[in-house]
Every structure is written in structure tokens, then in C-alpha cells.
């Protein structure tokens, strides 16, 4: 099995590499655009996928409502930015406040969702929690739709065009640059949080064994809440950035983005933080190539196909570890 | 006596950890054998390896069902192992909670029946009889174990001791020749343990069963077993009659010294 | 009994919700016209609702805890008691039968038409109940098989003129095949991945139908799908609706009969056992994979049959009828009605589909309520509105 993996890996990389090099030689600028576009896309996926993978790592639940948290982040930033804009505030202040509100509100929603829909079901069968998560996702979508509007709302980018970036803007916009840089910074911060802080250590311990962690004095409820809050925060950043990039949002944006991010998390190995980042980048870039060179209508089909293939041939993902069920 | 289960050099690695390290065990027909050892010695892992829940990293597992030729078990799925005639219970009770007691036992009959969807829908006479026989057989098993008064009760509502006995009933319904009991007396009171003791002996004498059990209750093990195998840190350290094991210095060192703690 | 502490807590929770929902509930921005509408009354309602919801929530949680501790026998739902009682069973069933027989004649066509949709949901719900309720497999792409059935009828009829009655068995076979094909690779995975993969599959089918113009006319869909033929008679529109109504009733009865027999058969028991404990199930000699696959394929078959009826009823289908929300609505029917409980699913389908149809004011809030109900049911009453009751076996004294 080990050798089959290695050989199939080499074959796939070989084929992809051949076509990649061919395309690179024929049209390098287009190729580069696709790579950068894929990186941008992958960065957004990564910001969302982190929440999935962290929550899954700790309570083994696919948090279906996570995409909605991301949507609520984007929506809050839109509302705050519009209100402050009409009040005529300074644009730099607006940017900061929009981000802050988006993050704070997403965290609050993430926290509340966990308390309502998942905490009472922690000892219940997995199916119950999963159904509850789907219900929550449906509820939040419709809540935003009814309270706001079912239509797409134009979103004025919060991120200005940087002057220094002017010469390269035709390949990659300022927004895209911001997205990639922000993602890198967030990843580094998050990595430090998990690796070095007390709460990060508690998170890792809880992911390993909840009962044991509570015995050594870790407040498991607090750790789980923190996980939701941290995941929501990164999702909110992703939400605001993607809204700037795409230029319009509605209540449904969380659905597909959430799914894609989940696929990315599975691709990288669910439960693994570096895996989520790697999986997101791989998914983003390969999607970008697929739509760029093949059919753009089937973009989502491609992502799901990747999911199915990964789950069949390597369910533990690129970086995930195989788990054995305890008896 | 003929060997009924022959395990050679059974090894199980979890990552770098050797949960089982070259275990050899032979169980003979009609024996009540016990597998003992301190907590975490690898007893349940041993069961899981034999019954196909884990695939052992190395070693051989062979069975010789009465009247049949010797065959290997390694690599078989759990359901196929059960079909071959090995049945087990679980240390942490794993009953089907949403079902009644009778239905739990009927699940045990599953692999000995063959009704399919078509049979369920059309219910030709052969299927009807099969179903009737299944109900009757399951009820009979319950009577043997002494649970008939709970027939239509939901499994989850049973008292603890009865749940443990239901696990045995369910395993028995699969028509095994070798019964593997994982801590059948755990959590039972002395009275219940006494009844269990009688039940196990009765099963061996009247049902033509061979029994291998994991147990921490030393009194039960010593009074019940014909042969005891001791494991520690995944290795077999001793084997013999209860008297031999009791006086084995290695066992005392590894295990019986802590008897008060475990019993 | 409400303590002072609880009131205080509820007050803070209400405040929390007021802050939480503030931007989305109060402010409505119109980014095109640059207008902001402040809806201050909303926050008041949120506060009041939050306060009482929190009180009720805590009360229900406490009730649930107490119920867990006390060893009282669970009560059998009213409907089941009615059905178990020999005196009431016949009149009860007769009343239901009479109601459904007169229904299309007593009410205008519009109502019959709505009832047909509800009954199609009953069928779909019972089919999904096999997969989710009995076998415990969360299928979020159920609508894909519904889509397969609908397009099977539409296309076979369009190109080959095959009639409704012939398509019915063909679509059942197609549905079973589609279920097996998808289930084969996917059912080996752990449970929660199944949810995502089926969800993905449902979306794939829809996207393919939307983009593949040659096959199903893309988003424009296929129209003029003929209603079922009634020997060689020409039926007018009203008669047709009544005719379809009775076809659906017959199919629902067949489904109930089928599900009822399955539930208490060897296969049905294996499904429930699998749902309760996979490992113990395997140790009892049940082939996990094969058993799951049967449930999955059978569920798909039912969805496919439902699709044929749907296509025949609406006479027009396009991919928009087969979105993920359709799958989730069917899932709601099963979950809220009672997973594994046929009677619960039937009641759930009728209530959840009929109520929003008649309370137009509520229709908008349909999905919101569905979502909330899913969470509430899972938290407080995972067995659903009408829980399933296992068959009681009777034994005479066995002679020794």
C-alpha cells in the first residue's frame, strides 16, 4: 500500500508537471495569473478551513454553521463600513473598525452557536450533533436573509490600491496581495498561539483526550469555546477579505465557501492545522488551473470530485494521521 | 485434548507502541481459559486482534472448529470471524440500545439466517418460518441465560448485571464454538458474580462451548478456570493451572501483588 | 418554578442576544441607494423573546436532566397506543382512510394539488428514513436521486415516449443503481464524511444538469411532461389531479407496507443495530458495508420513485427543483417527525409541508423555523415528535 501511494503520487505529479511546464512555456503570464489567483483563493479557504479543522480536532464535529459565521463576518463589516461611510468618517478608521466589528461579532456568533447547538449534545451520538449543526447553518442563513435582504449587496472594497504596487497590479491586484499577506500573518500568529501559549497547549491536550485533560485540571468547556472563537475570528477575516475581493455578498456566500474550505481541510488531513493550510493552497491552485484551462462551469464539481477521490484513496488526507477506533 | 484456538507469535503495533509482542496461546476444546494481566497489558487488544477488529501486525491465528479442519483467521473481517464460530462480548457494554432485549439476541442470529429484502417484502413461507424460528431460538437463548422476563424491555433499561448477561446471550445466539468474554463480571455485585460463575460452567458443560475470558476478579478466575494465561506489557509471562499461576514468582511480581487493588 | 438566579441569568442572556443581533437585526443598509434604515423595534422584540426563550430553554434542559435520572419507563406515543388498542385501531384507521378518499372530491383542485406535494414528501421522507433513521447514515444529497427519477421520466418520455407506468420500475432500477454506485466508494468511510460527500454529490448532479444542455436542456428544463395515462381515456385537468392523487396515495400505502415489513425483518434489525453500535454489530456477524449499501440503495430507489411522481405532477422540471435545500427539507421531515419512526415521518411530512403552504405569512420563515426546529429537537427530544416503538413479541408459556 505504501509503494502504491508513492508510485501513484509520482505519476500524478509527473503528468501534472508535464502539462504545467508546457503551459508555462506557451503563456507564462496567464500561468502566473492562475497561480496567483489560486493562491488568493487558497488563502481564503485556509482562513475558513482552520475553523473546521480545529473544531473537528477537538470535538470531532463537522461544524456546518462555520460557513455562516464567515458570512456573518462579511455582512457585519459591510454594515459597519456603510454606516460609518455615510456618517463621513475617515476611511482608515472605517477599515479598522469594520475589521474589528467583523471579528468580534463572528466570534460572538461562533461562541453562541457552540453553547446552543453543540454543548448540550456533547455526549449524544455524533449524528445528533451533525444534524443540529445543519439546523444551525440553515437557521443562520435564513436569519440573515430575512433580517437583511436575499439580494446580492455591492461591497465597496475596504482595501485601497497601494501606490507602490502599481507596476505589478496588472498581474495581481492590491486586494489579492493583501489577502495573501494577511493569511500568512494570521497563520504565523495562530501557529504561535497553538504552539506556545497556555491555551494552545490546553487545546492540543483536549484534542488528544478530553477526559484526561479535564482530570489534569484543564477547563474543557473553556477550551472548546476558545477553539470556536479562534476559528470564527479567522473565518471573519476571510469573510471581509473575500468580500473586498469579489465586491458583493449575500446570505448564501458562506455555504459554498464553507464546503470548499471543508474539502480543503479534509484534503490536508482534518484535525491538522498545517494540513488545513496546505490543503487549502493545493485546492485553490488546482481549482484555479482547472477553471483556467478546462471548464469553468464545473468548478464546484471539480472540488467535490477531489473530495471523493481523496476520501477513497487517502481518507486521512495529506498530513493527517490514521486513527484507530477505540474498542 | 485437541487445540481449538492456536495463536502464534501474535504482535500488534500501534505506531511505535507494541501493544502485543509475540504472544503464543493455545486453547483446548472444552476448556475454560482465562487471560489475565494488569491494566493495559494488552488483553482486550488480544481479543480485538483475534476477532478481526484490529488486523495484527504479525503472527498467526488458527482455529479448528469441532469436526472441521484447521483454518486461519488473520485478515478476516469481524463478521466473518463470527461466522466461523467465534463470538465475543465487550468490556464496556455495547448493546443495541434502541432495540428490545429479544431483538438484541435476534441480531446475534443474523449471520445464521439469510432473508433478504425480497424475502422481507414478499414473505414467502420459507422466510416466515425462518423468522418464526429465529424468534423461538432467541427466546430459548434468553431462557438459558435467565433473561426471559425482560423479553420486550428496551436493552438500555435493564439493570447492569442483566445487561452483561444479555451481552453473553447475544454472543451465544451466533452459535459459536468458542466464546470470548471480556470482563464479564466487571461491575457486578457478589451475588451476580456467583450466578455468572454458575452460568459459565453451565455453558461449558451443556452447550459444548470453549470459553476464553478476560477477568480482573481473581476469585472468579481462580475458581472457574482450567487454565490461565498471564500477559504483561504485551508479552505472555506465564501459563498454567490456577495453582501453578498463583505460585509463579513472575506473576506475583507483575500482577498478584496488586490483587487487592484490582479485585 | 423559576428562581431569582434564573431570571437574572435570562436577563443577561437577553442582553447578550440584543447586542449579538444588533447590526443585522437593526441596521439595514442599502448600498445602492446609500440609505440606512434603523429598525429599533426589532431589538425590543429580540430582548423579550431572548428573555423568555432563555427561561424556557433552561427549564427544558432541567426537565431533560431529571428525566434521565428518574427511572420511569418512557411513555409510548399516543398514536401508538391508539394503534395497539384493538378497540380503537379499526375506527381510527377507517377515519383516516375515509378522510383521504373523500379529500380530492370535497376540496377544490388547488388543495388536492398541495396534498399531492405533501404526500410525495411522505414518500421521500419514508425513503430517507430508511437511510438516516434506521441505518443512521446521514445523507445530505438525497435530492440527487429524486433528480435522477424525475429526469429519467422526463427524458425517457421525451425521446422514447415511454409511459409513466413503465418508467416507474425503470426509475426504481436507476435509483438503486445510482445509490449503489455512489454508496460503493463512499460507505466505507466514517459517518460524517458521508454527509459531506453526499451533499457534494447532490450539488454535482444539479450543476451537471444545469450545464449539460444536450441532456436536459440546461436551466430551461424540460416541459410538457405528460401525466400518467389512465388506460386510454382522456382526462381533463381536474380529473388528472385526482388521478395522480390516488396514484400517490397508492404509492404511499405501498411504501408504508414495505417499510413496515422491512423494519421488523432481518435486514431492518441489522440497520438499527448498525446505527446503535457499528463495532458490536460486526462482532455479531453483520456485514457492515453490505448492510449499509442496501439501506442506501433502497433509500435512493424511493427518492427516484418520488421524482417520477413529481415530474408527472408538475409536468415541468428544471435543475432548480433539486437544490440542497430540498434535501435538507426532507431531512427535517425525518428528524422532526422522529428518526426511525414511520408514523412520525408521515406526520412530520404532512405538518411541515402543509402548514407553510396554508399559512402564507409563515412560508417565508419556513426554512428558518426548520433550522431552529432541527436544533431544538436534537437537543431536547432526539427521538422526534413521535418516537418509534419496537415490535412486541408475545410468547405463550413454553412447555418443558
Amino acid at each position: 500500500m505504501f509503494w502504491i501511494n508513492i508510485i501513484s503520487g509520482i505519476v500524478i505529479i509527473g503528468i501534472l508537471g508535464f502539462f504545467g511546464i508546457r503551459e508555462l512555456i506557451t503563456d507564462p503570464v496567464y500561468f502566473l495569473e492562475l497561480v496567483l489567483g489560486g493562491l488568493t483563493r487558497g488563502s481564503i479557504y485556509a482562513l475558513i478551513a482552520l475553523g473546521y479543522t480545529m473544531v473537528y480536532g477537538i470535538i470531532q464535529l463537522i461544524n456546518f454553521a462555520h460557513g455562516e459565521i464567515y458570512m456573518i463576518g462579511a455582512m457585519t463589516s459591510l454594515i459597519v463600513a456603510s454606516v460609518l461611510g455615510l456618517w463621513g468618517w475617515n476611511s482608515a478608521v472605517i477599515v479598522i473598525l469594520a475589521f474589528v466589528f467583523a471579528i468580534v461579532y463572528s466570534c460572538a456568533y461562533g461562541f453562541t452557536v457552540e453553547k446552543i447547538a453543540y454543548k448540550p449534545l456533547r455526549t449524544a451520538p455524533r449524528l445528533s450533533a451533525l444534524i443540529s449543526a445543519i439546523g444551525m447553518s440553515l437557521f443562520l442563513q435564513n436569519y440573515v436573509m430575512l433580517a437583511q435582504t436575499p439580494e446580492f449587496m455591492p461591497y465597496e472594497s475596504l482595501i485601497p490600491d497601494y501606490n507602490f504596487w502599481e507596476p505589478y497590479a496588472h498581474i495581481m491586484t492590491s486586494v489579492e496581495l493583501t489577502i495573501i499577506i494577511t493569511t500568512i500573518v494570521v497563520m504565523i500568529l495562530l501557529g504561535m498561539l497553538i504552539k506556545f501559549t497556555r491555551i494552545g497547549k490546553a487545546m492540543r491536550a483536549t484534542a488528544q483526550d478530553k477526559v484526561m485533560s479535564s482530570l489534569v485540571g484543564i477547563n474543557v468547556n473553556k477550551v472548546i469555546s476558545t477553539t470556536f472563537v479562534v476559528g470564527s475570528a479567522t473565518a471573519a477575516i476571510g469573510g471581509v477579505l473575500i468580500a473586498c475581493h469579489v465586491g458583493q455578498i449575500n446570505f448564501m456566500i458562506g455555504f459554498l465557501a464553507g464546503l470548499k474550505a471543508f474539502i480543503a481541510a479534509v484534503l490536508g488531513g482534518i484535525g491538522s492545522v498545517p494540513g488545513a493550510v496546505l490543503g487549502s493552497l493545493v485546492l485553490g491552485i488546482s481549482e484555479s488551473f482547472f477553471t483556467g484551462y478546462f471548464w469553468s462551469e464545473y468548478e464546484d464539481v471539480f472540488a467535490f470530485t477531489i473530495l471523493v477521490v481523496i476520501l477513497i484513496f487517502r481518507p486521512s488526507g495529506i498530513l493527517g494521521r490514521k486513527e484507530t477506533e477505540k474498542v | 485434548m485437541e487445540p481449538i484456538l492456536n495463536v502464534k507469535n501474535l504482535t500488534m503495533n500501534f505506531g511505535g507502541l507494541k501493544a502485543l509482542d509475540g504472544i503464543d496461546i493455545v486453547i483446548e476444546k472444552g476448556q475454560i481459559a482465562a487471560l489475565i494481566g494488569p491494566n493495559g497489558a494488552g488483553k482486550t487488544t488480544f481479543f480485538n486482534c483475534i476477532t478481526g477488529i484490529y488486523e495484527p501486525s504479525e503472527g498467526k491465528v488458527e482455529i479448528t472448529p469441532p469436526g472441521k479442519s484447521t483454518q486461519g483467521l488473520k485478515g478476516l473481517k469481524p463478521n466473518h470471524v463470527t461466522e466461523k464460530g467465534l463470538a465475543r462480548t465487550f468490556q464496556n457494554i455495547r448493546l443495541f440500545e434502541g432495540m428490545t432485549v429479544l431483538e438484541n439476541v435476534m441480531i446475534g442470529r443474523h449471520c445464521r439466517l439469510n432473508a433478504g429484502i425480497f424475502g422481507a417484502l414478499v414473505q414467502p413461507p420459507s422466510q416466515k418460518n425462518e423468522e418464526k424460528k429465529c424468534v423461538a431460538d432467541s427466546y430459548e437463548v434468553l431462557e438459558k441465560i435467565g433473561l426471559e422476563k425482560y423479553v420486550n424491555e428496551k436493552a438500555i433499561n435493564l439493570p447492569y448485571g442483566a445487561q452483561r448477561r444479555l451481552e453473553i446471550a447475544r454472543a451465544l445466539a451466533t452459535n459459536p464454538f468458542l466464546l470470548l468474554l471480556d470482563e464479564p463480571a466487571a461491575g457486578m455485585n457478589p451475588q451476580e458474580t456467583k450466578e455468572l460463575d454458575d452460568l459459565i460452567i453451565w455453558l461449558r458443560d451443556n452447550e459444548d462451548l470453549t470459553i476464553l475470558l478476560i477477568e480482573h476478579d481473581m476469585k472468579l478466575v481462580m475458581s472457574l478456570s482450567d487454565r490461565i494465561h498471564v500477559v504483561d506489557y504485551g508479552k505472555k509471562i506465564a501459563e498454567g493451572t490456577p495453582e501453578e499461576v498463583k505460585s509463579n514468582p513472575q506473576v506475583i511480581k507483575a500482577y498478584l501483588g496488586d490483587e487487592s487493588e484490582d479485585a | 418554578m423559576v428562581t431569582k438566579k434564573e431570571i437574572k441569568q435570562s436577563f443577561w442572556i437577553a442582553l447578550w442576544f440584543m447586542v449579538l443581533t444588533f447590526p443585522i437585526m437593526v441596521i439595514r443598509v442599502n448600498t445602492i441607494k446609500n440609505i440606512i434604515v434603523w429598525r429599533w423595534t426589532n431589538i425590543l422584540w429580540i430582548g423579550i423573546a431572548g428573555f423568555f426563550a432563555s427561561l424556557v430553554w433552561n427549564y427544558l434542559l432541567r426537565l431533560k436532566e431529571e428525566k434521565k435520572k428518574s427511572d420511569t419507563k418512557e411513555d409510548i406515543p399516543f398514536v401508538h397506543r391508539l394503534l395497539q388498542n384493538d378497540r380503537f385501531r379499526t375506527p381510527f384507521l377507517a377515519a383516516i382512510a375515509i378522510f383521504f378518499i373523500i379529500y380530492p372530491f370535497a376540496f377544490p383542485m388547488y388543495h388536492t394539488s398541495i396534498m399531492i406535494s405533501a404526500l410525495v414528501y411522505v414518500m421521500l421522507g419514508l425513503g430517507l428514513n430508511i437511510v438516516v433513521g434506521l441505518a443512521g447514515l446521514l445523507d445530505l444529497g438525497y435530492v440527487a436521486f429524486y433528480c435522477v427519477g424525475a429526469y429519467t421520466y422526463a427524458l425517457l418520455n421525451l425521446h422514447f415516449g415511454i409511459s409513466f407506468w413503465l418508467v416507474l420500475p425503470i426509475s426504481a432500477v436507476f435509483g438503486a443503481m445510482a445509490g449503489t454506485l455512489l454508496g460503493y466508494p463512499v460507505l466505507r468511510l466514517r459517518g460524517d464524511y458521508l454527509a459531506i460527500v453526499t451533499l457534494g454529490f447532490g450539488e454535482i448532479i444539479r450543476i451537471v444538469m444545469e450545464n449539460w444542455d444536450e441532456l436536459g436542456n440546461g436551466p430551461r428544463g424540460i416541459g410538457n411532461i405528460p401525466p400518467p395515462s389512465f388506460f386510454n381515456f382522456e382526462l381533463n385537468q381536474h380529473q388528472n389531479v385526482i388521478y395522480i392523487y390516488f396514484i400517490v396515495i397508492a404509492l404511499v400505502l405501498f411504501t408504508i407496507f414495505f417499510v413496515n415489513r422491512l423494519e421488523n425483518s432481518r435486514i431492518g434489525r441489522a440497520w438499527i443495530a448498525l446505527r446503535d453500535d457499528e463495532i458490536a454489530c460486526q462482532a455479531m456477524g453483520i456485514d457492515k458495508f453490505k448492510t449499509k449499501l442496501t439501506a442506501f440503495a433502497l433509500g435512493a430507489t424511493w427518492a427516484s420513485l418520488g421524482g417520477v411522481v413529481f415530474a408527472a405532477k408538475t409536468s415541468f422540471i428544471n435543475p432548480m427543483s433539486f437544490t440542497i435545500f430540498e434535501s435538507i427539507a426532507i431531512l427535517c421531515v425525518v428528524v422532526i417527525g422522529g428518526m426511525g419512526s414511520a408514523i412520525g415521518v408521515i406526520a412530520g411530512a404532512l405538518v411541515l409541508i402543509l402548514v407553510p403552504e396554508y399559512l402564507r405569512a409563515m412560508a417565508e420563515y419556513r426554512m428558518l423555523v426548520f433550522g431552529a426546529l432541527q436544533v431544538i429537537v436534537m437537543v431536547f427530544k432526539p427521538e422526534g415528535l413521535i418516537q418509534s416503538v419496537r415490535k412486541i413479541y408475545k410468547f405463550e408459556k413454553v412447555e418443558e
Side-chain angles (χ1 to χ4, degrees):
Chain A
M1 201 58 207
F2 176 73
W3 285 108
I4 294 173
N5 271 341
I6 298 276
I7 291 167
S8 59
I10 291 173
V11 169
I12 290 169
I13 291 172
I15 293 171
L16 291 181
F18 172 72
F19 283 105
I21 290 169
R22 208 187 65 183
E23 292 301 330
L24 180 63
I25 292 166
T26 38
D27 191 350
V29 175
Y30 186 55
F31 186 86
L32 191 64
E33 270 173 27
L34 289 181
V35 171
L36 293 174
L39 273 181
T40 316
R41 201 190 270 257
S43 303
I44 298 288
Y45 290 159
L47 288 170
I48 312 172
L50 281 174
Y52 276 114
T53 218
M54 282 163 60
V55 165
Y56 195 93
I58 282 199
I59 54 172
Q60 282 77 47
L61 168 77
I62 301 175
N63 180 9
F64 273 95
H66 190 61
E68 273 57 60
I69 300 294
Y70 151 92
M71 176 269 292
I72 283 175
M75 198 57 98
T76 311
S77 77
L78 172 103
I79 291 169
V80 170
S82 312
V83 170
L84 297 183
L86 280 180
W87 286 352
W89 287 34
N90 177 312
S91 63
V93 178
I94 293 179
V95 172
I96 292 167
L97 281 182
F99 264 96
V100 168
F101 269 95
I103 292 169
V104 167
Y105 267 94
S106 282
C107 291
Y109 272 96
F111 175 83
T112 315
V113 163
E114 195 268 329
K115 285 278 176 277
I116 292 177
Y118 308 142
K119 191 169 172 244
L121 292 172
R122 215 165 277 160
T123 54
R126 243 159 143 170
L127 187 65
S128 302
L130 211 53
I131 290 173
S132 180
I134 293 165
M136 205 67 217
S137 157
L138 195 63
F139 179 83
L140 288 176
Q141 273 171 20
N142 283 278
Y143 153 71
V144 172
M145 182 193 83
L146 291 168
Q148 292 292 320
T149 162
E151 307 299 325
F152 266 101
M153 298 154 101
Y155 190 105
E156 210 175 309
S157 176
L158 297 169
I159 299 158
D161 289 330
Y162 309 123
N163 287 330
F164 73 89
W165 192 252
E166 195 62 50
Y168 317 101
H170 63 284
I171 299 175
M172 186 187 189
T173 63
S174 300
V175 176
E176 286 172 327
L177 177 73
T178 317
I179 289 176
I180 292 172
I181 289 175
T182 315
T183 307
I184 294 170
V185 172
V186 169
M187 294 303 141
I188 291 170
L189 287 178
L190 191 74
M192 276 158 59
L193 176 87
I194 293 174
K195 199 114 205 172
F196 300 117
T197 61
R198 246 181 99 80
I199 187 77
K201 279 178 192 154
M203 275 176 182
R204 279 181 291 153
T206 313
Q208 291 266 316
D209 191 329
K210 270 202 276 296
V211 179
M212 198 55 218
S213 314
S214 68
L215 284 178
V216 297
I218 293 173
N219 184 343
V220 173
N221 281 333
K222 204 175 118 192
V223 171
I224 293 174
S225 288
T226 316
T227 311
F228 272 87
V229 166
V230 173
S232 303
T234 61
I237 297 173
V240 180
L241 290 175
I242 194 71
C244 294
H245 185 51
V246 178
Q248 56 174 7
I249 56 172
N250 79 344
F251 70 100
M252 277 297 292
I253 58 163
F255 175 68
L256 203 59
L259 271 179
K260 295 276 188 67
F262 180 79
I263 294 173
V266 172
L267 184 62
I270 193 133
S272 147
V273 172
V277 179
L278 184 65
S280 302
L281 294 181
V282 170
L283 182 69
I285 292 175
S286 50
E287 257 190 0
S288 176
F289 280 137
F290 182 80
T291 51
Y293 289 126
F294 303 100
W295 310 285
S296 55
E297 311 91 305
Y298 289 110
E299 181 192 326
D300 304 334
V301 173
F302 173 74
F304 285 122
T305 313
I306 284 205
L307 175 72
V308 173
V309 169
I310 267 288
L311 284 178
I312 292 166
F313 292 105
R314 201 177 153 79
S316 52
I318 302 173
L319 294 183
R321 244 182 272 141
K322 207 177 151 204
E323 45 182 302
T324 28
E325 200 157 349
K326 285 178 197 135
V327 181
Chain B
M1 272 300 195
E2 52 200 292
I4 208 163
L5 173 74
N6 193 349
V7 178
K8 274 187 212 136
N9 187 32
L10 192 69
T11 303
M12 179 77 208
N13 299 321
F14 289 114
L17 180 81
K18 267 198 171 155
L20 293 178
D21 189 359
I23 291 204
D24 300 307
I25 282 179
V26 178
I27 311 281
E28 283 168 2
K29 189 168 181 304
Q31 257 185 356
I32 295 181
L35 185 65
I36 62 171
N39 282 326
K43 295 167 304 220
T44 299
T45 309
F46 177 78
F47 269 25
N48 287 341
C49 284
I50 291 181
T51 53
I53 289 175
Y54 295 157
E55 199 183 331
S57 321
E58 264 176 68
K60 250 195 338 201
V61 181
E62 283 176 349
I63 50 162
T64 316
K68 285 184 196 148
S69 56
T70 305
Q71 44 198 301
L73 280 188
K74 209 182 141 189
L76 285 184
K77 282 203 243 154
N79 50 312
H80 291 132
V81 173
T82 310
E83 272 171 33
K84 296 262 185 229
L86 265 72
R88 70 172 290 182
T89 66
F90 292 91
Q91 182 182 352
N92 42 346
I93 302 177
R94 301 189 85 122
L95 292 170
F96 307 118
E97 299 182 343
M99 305 174 97
T100 64
V101 168
L102 185 75
E103 284 176 324
N104 264 279
V105 180
M106 282 164 87
I107 287 291
R109 300 290 312 155
H110 184 96
C111 60
R112 306 292 172 215
L113 311 173
N114 44 36
I117 290 191
F118 181 75
L121 177 62
V122 185
Q123 293 194 351
S126 63
Q127 302 293 358
K128 265 192 176 159
N129 289 337
E130 186 191 90
E131 181 77 9
K132 248 189 216 159
K133 192 163 178 310
C134 169
V135 174
D137 288 349
S138 307
Y139 189 70
E140 208 183 297
V141 172
L142 282 177
E143 279 185 320
K144 276 181 205 159
I145 306 290
L147 287 172
E148 70 272 19
K149 62 178 168 187
Y150 296 119
V151 173
N152 283 316
E153 208 71 50
K154 271 210 176 155
I156 193 171
N157 296 336
L158 255 53
Y160 190 77
Q163 289 194 5
R164 285 237 172 259
R165 292 171 83 93
L166 179 54
E167 279 237 342
I168 299 178
R170 196 175 64 172
L172 215 54
T174 64
N175 258 355
F177 64 88
L178 175 62
L179 192 58
L180 306 167
L181 304 177
D182 197 344
E183 295 198 24
M188 281 188 170
N189 62 33
Q191 172 64 27
E192 286 171 330
T193 310
K194 176 77 192 50
E195 283 168 16
L196 181 76
D197 190 332
D198 297 341
L199 175 69
I200 292 176
I201 290 178
W202 187 89
L203 282 176
R204 183 203 36 196
D205 296 344
N206 295 291
E207 294 290 310
D208 214 13
L209 276 172
T210 308
I211 292 161
L212 172 62
L213 63 136
I214 294 175
E215 191 46 69
H216 277 302
D217 185 335
M218 278 307 128
K219 229 175 89 195
L220 183 73
V221 170
M222 293 300 163
S223 75
L224 202 58
S225 323
D226 303 317
R227 200 150 189 90
I228 297 179
H229 305 262
V230 192
V231 287
D232 191 19
Y233 293 110
K235 283 199 173 110
K236 187 161 125 179
I237 56 172
E239 180 192 336
T241 61
E243 279 66 37
E244 286 166 9
V245 167
K246 250 187 229 171
S247 53
N248 186 321
Q250 248 186 310
V251 178
I252 294 169
K253 195 176 136 213
Y255 190 88
L256 287 182
D258 303 332
E259 192 191 349
S260 55
E261 211 177 286
D262 282 303
Chain C
M1 194 193 68
V2 185
T3 59
K4 210 169 164 188
K5 200 184 132 211
E6 272 182 347
I7 292 183
K8 214 165 125 190
Q9 192 198 3
S10 295
F11 174 76
W12 288 113
I13 287 175
L15 204 65
W16 169 257
F17 275 105
M18 283 162 83
V19 175
L20 191 66
T21 55
F22 182 79
I24 287 171
M25 286 301 287
V26 173
I27 310 169
R28 179 186 246 156
V29 288
N30 188 328
T31 39
I32 300 168
K33 290 187 199 148
N34 275 333
I35 316 170
I36 305 173
V37 185
W38 297 84
R39 299 164 296 175
W40 290 106
T41 43
N42 279 352
I43 206 74
L44 198 71
W45 292 120
I46 290 281
I48 296 167
F51 180 75
F52 287 107
S54 154
L55 281 181
V56 173
W57 186 273
N58 279 332
Y59 173 74
L60 288 175
L61 268 187
R62 215 172 48 217
L63 214 66
K64 191 181 158 202
E65 283 300 307
E66 275 163 19
K67 208 171 173 191
K68 220 186 266 169
K69 271 180 214 149
S70 66
D71 249 0
T72 47
K73 270 200 183 164
E74 52 210 294
D75 30 87
I76 298 167
F78 178 70
V79 188
H80 283 282
R81 266 183 288 157
L82 214 59
L83 287 174
Q84 278 164 10
N85 189 322
D86 289 326
R87 238 178 68 214
F88 292 112
R89 191 192 309 126
T90 325
F92 176 64
L93 290 179
I96 290 181
I98 290 170
F99 173 77
F100 277 102
I101 290 169
I102 319 183
Y103 190 87
F105 304 105
F107 296 98
M109 197 168 82
Y110 168 72
H111 296 280
T112 314
S113 176
I114 288 177
M115 190 53 111
I116 294 176
S117 323
L119 288 171
V120 170
Y121 271 93
V122 170
M123 256 181 83
L124 293 173
L126 286 172
L128 185 63
N129 186 37
I130 297 176
V131 186
V132 180
L134 295 180
L137 305 166
L138 188 51
D139 181 352
L140 293 181
Y142 195 60
V143 80
F145 306 115
Y146 185 49
C147 180
V148 167
Y151 271 95
T152 303
Y153 180 40
L155 290 174
L156 285 182
N157 192 279
L158 187 72
H159 296 302
F160 307 104
I162 301 178
S163 78
F164 175 84
W165 293 106
L166 199 58
V167 169
L168 220 47
I170 295 176
S171 77
V173 172
F174 275 20
M177 267 164 48
T180 315
L181 278 180
L182 177 66
Y184 199 81
V186 166
L187 286 172
R188 294 178 193 278
L189 304 171
R190 268 219 323 274
D192 30 13
Y193 285 157
L194 180 72
I196 290 282
V197 173
T198 48
L199 196 162
F201 179 70
E203 285 294 280
I204 287 179
I205 290 260
R206 187 181 58 79
I207 296 169
V208 168
M209 290 321 294
E210 248 168 36
N211 289 299
W212 194 355
D213 274 353
E214 295 79 24
L215 182 67
N217 238 347
R220 273 158 292 135
I222 303 174
N224 285 331
I225 304 169
S229 53
F230 184 61
F231 301 105
N232 280 325
F233 294 106
E234 282 287 316
L235 299 176
N236 66 28
Q237 206 194 355
H238 190 182
Q239 283 168 327
N240 240 325
V241 171
I242 295 178
Y243 182 45
I244 294 181
Y245 173 85
F246 281 110
I247 290 175
V248 179
I249 290 270
L251 281 172
V252 166
L253 284 178
F254 172 67
T255 313
I256 294 172
F257 168 80
F258 189 79
V259 168
N260 197 25
R261 284 211 157 171
L262 271 180
E263 217 180 329
N264 289 307
S265 72
R266 171 174 175 267
I267 300 281
R269 283 192 301 268
W271 287 337
I272 299 173
L274 203 60
R275 177 191 72 190
D276 285 355
D277 194 325
E278 279 193 11
I279 285 177
C281 207
Q282 282 180 291
M284 290 297 110
I286 290 172
D287 189 329
K288 180 168 102 176
F289 177 65
K290 227 167 88 188
T291 311
K292 280 184 179 176
L293 196 60
T294 343
F296 198 73
L298 210 60
T301 310
W302 245 259
S304 182
L305 288 178
V308 176
V309 177
F310 172 75
K313 183 213 154 203
T314 54
S315 82
F316 167 77
I317 53 168
N318 75 349
M320 285 317 287
S321 314
F322 308 103
T323 59
I324 165 82
F325 297 103
E326 207 61 28
S327 295
I328 291 184
I330 305 169
L331 180 71
C332 283
V333 162
V334 176
V335 168
I336 296 166
M339 281 196 280
S341 149
I343 294 181
V345 171
I346 296 168
L350 292 178
V351 171
L352 290 182
I353 305 305
L354 291 182
V355 169
E357 284 291 345
Y358 285 108
L359 295 176
R360 274 284 155 209
M362 234 193 89
E364 232 189 312
Y365 297 95
R366 195 179 100 153
M367 288 319 243
L368 184 84
V369 174
F370 277 15
L373 276 180
Q374 265 188 326
V375 177
I376 293 168
V377 165
M378 277 302 118
V379 171
F380 296 111
K381 211 169 178 315
E383 67 275 8
L385 291 183
I386 304 177
Q387 71 184 89
S388 64
V389 168
R390 296 304 303 161
K391 185 175 173 182
I392 306 238
Y393 291 88
K394 292 201 176 77
F395 296 93
E396 290 104 56
K397 267 266 166 273
V398 185
E399 61 274 29
E400 291 287 322

